[in-house]
Amino acid sequence: MRPSSVVRRRTRSVYPVLLLAVVTVAAGCATSREVPQSQPGTPSAPLTADQPAPGRPTEAAPTGPSGTPSPSATRSDLRHVFPVRADDVDYHPTHSAYPGTDLFADCGEPFVAVTDGVVLEVSRVDRYEKRGPQGPHNGGLSVSLRGDDGVRYYGSHLSVIATGVDEGTRVRAGQQLGRVGRTGNANNVCHVHFGISPPCTGKDDWWIRRGVVWPAKYLDSWRRGGNRAPAAEVNRWQREHGCPREP
């Protein structure tokens, strides 16, 4: 049997260690209460027509071939919405000679941002001439958006561009960008040409902007309230093709 003095000495030596552990745990709890953590995955609320979106820092986009911005699938929480806000909208799974689709709706119906992002290009003047070069100005009035997912979303043949929607403007999913129209080579039919593509830098050529992947399966999802994202498919396309200098 050990002397009681030894036991008492060992018991007293433990007290400072226990006190230090209690202080450390308490400090950790106090810190967690004072610095609340943000809640990831919260969807952004749609904004009303012509309402500017609140600013927030823009993350640097990953780059692809030749330094061009590359789509990113890291924003898994990014919300996508159907681009025309109307009860009666029709579209087809195919297009003419390239991937894209036409969203048929009454002239004047709102065309909205598919997702959170920044406006890349705005055309407020219809420069299309039937006898002129076919391609560069076919869209008439148009808007393209670089989503926070790295994908460019393009809508053309609009009748008007919303006030405050300019190059560099930050917008939110569901925010109105313009209205359905029949400018450009729309052949007097009210609709929006909708294209999905990578946001190539340098000369932003119309043959890329008009669309490089078929949008129908994404439109089907968004129309049902789903959130199917095109970033992975657009990224694969860009890895294979880069930014072509001609159609």
Side-chain angles (χ1 to χ4, degrees):
M1 184 172 179
R2 296 175 182 174
S4 59
S5 60
V6 174
V7 174
R8 282 196 298 272
R9 279 198 302 272
R10 288 188 177 180
T11 303
R12 282 196 299 272
S13 66
V14 174
Y15 289 162
V17 176
L18 292 175
L19 289 174
L20 179 60
V22 170
V23 171
T24 303
V25 171
C29 293
T31 302
S32 64
R33 287 195 297 269
E34 292 172 4
V35 186
Q37 298 297 316
S38 60
Q39 300 298 320
T42 303
S44 55
L47 303 183
T48 57
D50 298 343
Q51 182 180 349
R56 69 180 183 186
T58 303
E59 299 177 359
T63 56
S66 305
T68 58
S70 170
S72 171
T74 57
R75 288 291 310 277
S76 59
D77 63 323
L78 198 63
R79 189 170 67 103
H80 297 77
V81 301
F82 194 79
V84 175
R85 192 165 60 231
D87 294 331
D88 187 12
V89 184
D90 192 18
Y91 57 93
H92 303 289
T94 59
H95 195 256
S96 54
Y98 58 91
T101 195
D102 292 326
L103 303 170
F104 297 96
D106 291 339
C107 280
E109 297 286 15
F111 171 68
V112 304
V114 166
T115 192
D116 296 357
V118 176
V119 175
L120 284 178
E121 306 117 341
V122 177
S123 172
R124 282 190 161 88
V125 179
D126 188 356
R127 295 183 174 86
Y128 175 73
E129 295 182 8
K130 195 170 184 178
R131 297 180 180 178
Q134 297 302 298
H137 305 304
N138 285 8
L141 275 62
S142 63
V143 179
S144 72
L145 164 73
R146 183 194 184 278
D148 288 347
D149 55 1
V151 175
R152 174 170 49 189
Y153 301 95
Y154 171 69
S156 63
H157 305 313
L158 305 176
S159 59
V160 66
I161 307 298
T163 303
V165 174
D166 300 295
E167 182 180 345
T169 301
R170 172 158 281 279
V171 296
R172 284 297 204 45
Q175 182 174 340
Q176 185 171 328
L177 303 179
R179 293 188 181 275
V180 176
R182 49 190 177 194
T183 56
N185 69 340
N187 295 319
N188 206 35
V189 177
C190 295
H191 71 283
V192 173
H193 172 81
F194 181 69
I196 298 175
S197 67
C200 293
T201 58
K203 180 175 172 53
D204 201 8
D205 299 304
W206 56 268
W207 54 83
I208 303 173
R209 185 172 60 242
R210 67 185 181 180
V212 300
V213 301
W214 294 106
K217 59 188 175 184
Y218 304 107
L219 293 168
D220 291 344
S221 171
W222 304 336
R223 193 175 208 175
R224 295 191 301 263
N227 200 35
R228 189 168 188 170
E233 184 179 4
V234 173
N235 202 13
R236 286 194 299 270
W237 186 94
Q238 190 174 12
R239 284 199 302 268
E240 182 178 348
H241 299 91
C243 290
R245 296 185 178 182
E246 57 184 8

